[in-house]
């Protein structure tokens, strides 16, 4: 398997600003900001590095991912809490209703058990 090494041009924001360097088309440059962000810009062969659009801000992506992870956990925790509350409400409202088919005299029971709606025929053993 063939391997290749890619070397990025690197510098601080101040170094890039002072150098006014133009990267070749497709050449990658890494800027390190005073706040610690590492920013990648891609050269086009004619524009100074600092005037190129940001292609990738490593720390910003990390912050977004962390926020998404936290939001997903909060969303999940909220859904579990709401589901638990709803289940408790359903259990509190649980009633059992017995019905009888006029034509066959078959008896049925309908209700909620552990959050599940059920409908069953009442057998003689169950009614005794």
């Amino acid at each position: 398997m063939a391997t290749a090494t890619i070397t990025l041009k690197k510098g601080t924001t101040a170094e890039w600003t002072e150098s006014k360097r133009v990267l070749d088309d497709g050449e990658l440059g890494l800027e390190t900001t005073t706040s610690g962000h590492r920013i990648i810009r891609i050269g086009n062969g004619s524009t100074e590095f600092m005037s190129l659009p940001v292609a990738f801000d490593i720390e910003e992506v990390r912050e977004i991912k962390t926020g998404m992870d936290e939001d997903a956990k909060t969303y999940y925790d909220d859904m579990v809490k709401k589901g638990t509350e709803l289940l408790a409400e359903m259990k509190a409202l649980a009633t059992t209703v017995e019905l009888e088919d006029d034509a066959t005299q078959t008896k049925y029971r309908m209700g909620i058990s552990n959050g599940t709606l059920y409908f069953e025929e009442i057998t003689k053993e169950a009614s005794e």
Side-chain angles (χ1 to χ4, degrees):
M1 174 167 94
T3 60
T5 301
I6 298 172
T7 305
L8 303 178
K9 304 294 187 233
K10 298 183 277 187
T12 64
T13 303
E15 291 168 338
W16 281 110
T17 302
E18 185 180 325
S19 75
K20 300 188 183 310
R21 181 172 183 160
V22 174
L23 297 178
D24 292 336
D25 188 26
E27 186 178 18
L28 302 176
L30 176 68
E31 168 192 359
T32 304
T33 69
T34 55
S35 63
H37 281 243
R38 292 172 291 165
I39 296 172
I40 296 174
R41 299 175 195 256
I42 303 170
N44 62 9
S46 62
T47 305
E48 289 181 15
F49 179 83
M50 290 304 293
S51 295
L52 293 167
V54 172
F56 195 79
D57 181 331
I58 297 165
E59 275 64 39
E60 189 173 288
V61 170
R62 187 172 290 126
E63 289 168 13
I64 291 168
K65 181 190 177 305
T66 299
M68 289 172 63
D69 289 346
E70 290 170 1
D71 287 347
K73 178 161 181 15
T74 300
Y75 177 79
Y76 173 80
D77 290 346
D78 286 349
M79 291 303 290
V80 168
K81 181 181 174 195
K82 287 176 185 173
T84 302
E85 290 169 357
L86 182 58
L87 186 56
E89 284 179 36
M90 290 171 67
K91 285 180 180 180
L93 295 173
T95 53
T96 300
V97 177
E98 291 188 6
L99 309 164
E100 185 174 336
D101 183 330
D102 292 337
T104 64
Q105 299 343 108
T106 305
K107 294 183 179 182
Y108 299 95
R109 182 179 300 124
M110 182 173 77
I112 298 174
S113 176
N114 293 323
T116 303
L117 180 65
Y118 67 88
F119 185 79
E120 63 188 5
E121 184 176 336
I122 301 173
T123 60
K124 290 183 183 183
E125 300 91 38
S127 61
E128 294 175 356

